[in-house]
PDB file of all heavy atoms in Angstrom:
ATOM      1  N   PRO A 142     -10.005 -30.942  61.621  1.00 97.00           N
ATOM      2  CA  PRO A 142      -9.203 -31.782  60.745  1.00 97.00           C
ATOM      3  C   PRO A 142      -9.885 -33.135  60.547  1.00 97.00           C
ATOM      4  O   PRO A 142     -10.377 -33.747  61.503  1.00 97.00           O
ATOM      5  CB  PRO A 142      -7.886 -31.931  61.513  1.00 97.00           C
ATOM      6  CG  PRO A 142      -7.798 -30.662  62.317  1.00 97.00           C
ATOM      7  CD  PRO A 142      -9.212 -30.363  62.729  1.00 97.00           C
ATOM      8  N   ASN A 143      -9.952 -33.582  59.324  1.00 97.00           N
ATOM      9  CA  ASN A 143     -10.630 -34.805  58.919  1.00 97.00           C
ATOM     10  C   ASN A 143     -12.150 -34.657  58.877  1.00 97.00           C
ATOM     11  O   ASN A 143     -12.863 -35.622  58.604  1.00 97.00           O
ATOM     12  CB  ASN A 143     -10.261 -36.004  59.805  1.00 97.00           C
ATOM     13  CG  ASN A 143     -10.290 -37.317  59.030  1.00 97.00           C
ATOM     14  OD1 ASN A 143      -9.851 -37.365  57.871  1.00 97.00           O
ATOM     15  ND2 ASN A 143     -10.816 -38.355  59.647  1.00 97.00           N
ATOM     16  N   GLY A 144     -12.671 -33.446  59.131  1.00 98.00           N
ATOM     17  CA  GLY A 144     -14.101 -33.213  59.020  1.00 98.00           C
ATOM     18  C   GLY A 144     -14.557 -33.260  57.577  1.00 98.00           C
ATOM     19  O   GLY A 144     -13.756 -33.141  56.642  1.00 98.00           O
ATOM     20  N   GLN A 145     -15.867 -33.437  57.394  1.00 98.00           N
ATOM     21  CA  GLN A 145     -16.400 -33.632  56.045  1.00 98.00           C
ATOM     22  C   GLN A 145     -17.302 -32.489  55.600  1.00 98.00           C
ATOM     23  O   GLN A 145     -18.032 -31.896  56.403  1.00 98.00           O
ATOM     24  CB  GLN A 145     -17.180 -34.944  55.958  1.00 98.00           C
ATOM     25  CG  GLN A 145     -16.288 -36.181  55.926  1.00 98.00           C
ATOM     26  CD  GLN A 145     -17.118 -37.435  55.758  1.00 98.00           C
ATOM     27  OE1 GLN A 145     -17.868 -37.822  56.644  1.00 98.00           O
ATOM     28  NE2 GLN A 145     -16.975 -38.082  54.612  1.00 98.00           N
ATOM     29  N   LEU A 146     -17.237 -32.240  54.309  1.00 98.00           N
ATOM     30  CA  LEU A 146     -18.099 -31.281  53.626  1.00 98.00           C
ATOM     31  C   LEU A 146     -19.098 -32.049  52.773  1.00 98.00           C
ATOM     32  O   LEU A 146     -18.718 -32.988  52.061  1.00 98.00           O
ATOM     33  CB  LEU A 146     -17.254 -30.378  52.719  1.00 98.00           C
ATOM     34  CG  LEU A 146     -18.011 -29.475  51.742  1.00 98.00           C
ATOM     35  CD1 LEU A 146     -18.641 -28.298  52.478  1.00 98.00           C
ATOM     36  CD2 LEU A 146     -17.074 -28.996  50.636  1.00 98.00           C
ATOM     37  N   ALA A 147     -20.376 -31.666  52.833  1.00 98.00           N
ATOM     38  CA  ALA A 147     -21.398 -32.222  51.950  1.00 98.00           C
ATOM     39  C   ALA A 147     -22.086 -31.070  51.231  1.00 98.00           C
ATOM     40  O   ALA A 147     -22.577 -30.140  51.876  1.00 98.00           O
ATOM     41  CB  ALA A 147     -22.419 -33.040  52.744  1.00 98.00           C
ATOM     42  N   VAL A 148     -22.096 -31.133  49.908  1.00 98.00           N
ATOM     43  CA  VAL A 148     -22.770 -30.123  49.098  1.00 98.00           C
ATOM     44  C   VAL A 148     -23.754 -30.835  48.182  1.00 98.00           C
ATOM     45  O   VAL A 148     -23.396 -31.809  47.508  1.00 98.00           O
ATOM     46  CB  VAL A 148     -21.783 -29.311  48.243  1.00 98.00           C
ATOM     47  CG1 VAL A 148     -22.535 -28.264  47.421  1.00 98.00           C
ATOM     48  CG2 VAL A 148     -20.713 -28.651  49.108  1.00 98.00           C
ATOM     49  N   PHE A 149     -24.981 -30.340  48.172  1.00 98.00           N
ATOM     50  CA  PHE A 149     -26.012 -30.855  47.253  1.00 98.00           C
ATOM     51  C   PHE A 149     -26.633 -29.663  46.565  1.00 98.00           C
ATOM     52  O   PHE A 149     -27.078 -28.721  47.230  1.00 98.00           O
ATOM     53  CB  PHE A 149     -27.077 -31.631  48.040  1.00 98.00           C
ATOM     54  CG  PHE A 149     -28.199 -32.167  47.183  1.00 98.00           C
ATOM     55  CD1 PHE A 149     -28.082 -33.390  46.543  1.00 98.00           C
ATOM     56  CD2 PHE A 149     -29.389 -31.457  47.029  1.00 98.00           C
ATOM     57  CE1 PHE A 149     -29.112 -33.892  45.755  1.00 98.00           C
ATOM     58  CE2 PHE A 149     -30.418 -31.939  46.256  1.00 98.00           C
ATOM     59  CZ  PHE A 149     -30.286 -33.170  45.608  1.00 98.00           C
ATOM     60  N   ASP A 150     -26.648 -29.687  45.230  1.00 98.00           N
ATOM     61  CA  ASP A 150     -27.198 -28.537  44.515  1.00 98.00           C
ATOM     62  C   ASP A 150     -27.668 -28.969  43.141  1.00 98.00           C
ATOM     63  O   ASP A 150     -27.334 -30.058  42.648  1.00 98.00           O
ATOM     64  CB  ASP A 150     -26.164 -27.414  44.397  1.00 98.00           C
ATOM     65  CG  ASP A 150     -26.775 -26.055  44.716  1.00 98.00           C
ATOM     66  OD1 ASP A 150     -27.889 -25.783  44.228  1.00 98.00           O
ATOM     67  OD2 ASP A 150     -26.137 -25.273  45.454  1.00 98.00           O
ATOM     68  N   GLY A 151     -28.431 -28.091  42.508  1.00 97.00           N
ATOM     69  CA  GLY A 151     -28.960 -28.377  41.192  1.00 97.00           C
ATOM     70  C   GLY A 151     -27.992 -27.982  40.091  1.00 97.00           C
ATOM     71  O   GLY A 151     -27.276 -26.996  40.212  1.00 97.00           O
ATOM     72  N   ASP A 152     -28.004 -28.776  39.030  1.00 98.00           N
ATOM     73  CA  ASP A 152     -27.385 -28.361  37.781  1.00 98.00           C
ATOM     74  C   ASP A 152     -28.503 -27.676  37.003  1.00 98.00           C
ATOM     75  O   ASP A 152     -29.125 -28.251  36.105  1.00 98.00           O
ATOM     76  CB  ASP A 152     -26.839 -29.573  37.027  1.00 98.00           C
ATOM     77  CG  ASP A 152     -26.139 -29.191  35.734  1.00 98.00           C
ATOM     78  OD1 ASP A 152     -25.983 -27.980  35.480  1.00 98.00           O
ATOM     79  OD2 ASP A 152     -25.771 -30.102  34.970  1.00 98.00           O
ATOM     80  N   TYR A 153     -28.764 -26.430  37.375  1.00 97.00           N
ATOM     81  CA  TYR A 153     -29.999 -25.779  36.941  1.00 97.00           C
ATOM     82  C   TYR A 153     -30.016 -25.446  35.451  1.00 97.00           C
ATOM     83  O   TYR A 153     -31.089 -25.145  34.912  1.00 97.00           O
ATOM     84  CB  TYR A 153     -30.249 -24.540  37.797  1.00 97.00           C
ATOM     85  CG  TYR A 153     -30.596 -24.910  39.217  1.00 97.00           C
ATOM     86  CD1 TYR A 153     -29.687 -24.724  40.252  1.00 97.00           C
ATOM     87  CD2 TYR A 153     -31.824 -25.479  39.521  1.00 97.00           C
ATOM     88  CE1 TYR A 153     -29.992 -25.091  41.552  1.00 97.00           C
ATOM     89  CE2 TYR A 153     -32.141 -25.857  40.819  1.00 97.00           C
ATOM     90  CZ  TYR A 153     -31.221 -25.654  41.831  1.00 97.00           C
ATOM     91  OH  TYR A 153     -31.530 -26.028  43.118  1.00 97.00           O
ATOM     92  N   ALA A 154     -28.879 -25.553  34.788  1.00 97.00           N
ATOM     93  CA  ALA A 154     -28.878 -25.387  33.336  1.00 97.00           C
ATOM     94  C   ALA A 154     -29.613 -26.531  32.648  1.00 97.00           C
ATOM     95  O   ALA A 154     -29.962 -26.429  31.471  1.00 97.00           O
ATOM     96  CB  ALA A 154     -27.449 -25.293  32.823  1.00 97.00           C
ATOM     97  N   THR A 155     -29.867 -27.632  33.365  1.00 98.00           N
ATOM     98  CA  THR A 155     -30.581 -28.782  32.789  1.00 98.00           C
ATOM     99  C   THR A 155     -32.094 -28.682  32.991  1.00 98.00           C
ATOM    100  O   THR A 155     -32.829 -29.546  32.499  1.00 98.00           O
ATOM    101  CB  THR A 155     -30.117 -30.099  33.429  1.00 98.00           C
ATOM    102  OG1 THR A 155     -30.522 -30.133  34.817  1.00 98.00           O
ATOM    103  CG2 THR A 155     -28.607 -30.267  33.337  1.00 98.00           C
ATOM    104  N   THR A 156     -32.564 -27.683  33.680  1.00 98.00           N
ATOM    105  CA  THR A 156     -33.987 -27.596  34.022  1.00 98.00           C
ATOM    106  C   THR A 156     -34.852 -27.531  32.772  1.00 98.00           C
ATOM    107  O   THR A 156     -34.631 -26.706  31.881  1.00 98.00           O
ATOM    108  CB  THR A 156     -34.256 -26.343  34.878  1.00 98.00           C
ATOM    109  OG1 THR A 156     -33.419 -26.383  36.029  1.00 98.00           O
ATOM    110  CG2 THR A 156     -35.718 -26.283  35.301  1.00 98.00           C
ATOM    111  N   THR A 157     -35.849 -28.412  32.703  1.00 98.00           N
ATOM    112  CA  THR A 157     -36.735 -28.396  31.544  1.00 98.00           C
ATOM    113  C   THR A 157     -38.137 -28.847  31.924  1.00 98.00           C
ATOM    114  O   THR A 157     -38.310 -29.707  32.794  1.00 98.00           O
ATOM    115  CB  THR A 157     -36.197 -29.286  30.409  1.00 98.00           C
ATOM    116  OG1 THR A 157     -37.065 -29.163  29.269  1.00 98.00           O
ATOM    117  CG2 THR A 157     -36.109 -30.741  30.824  1.00 98.00           C
TER     118      THR A 157
END
Side-chain angles (χ1 to χ4, degrees):
N143 212 40
Q145 285 183 292
L146 170 75
V148 180
F149 178 86
D150 225 316
D152 182 6
Y153 291 107
T155 67
T156 304
T157 184

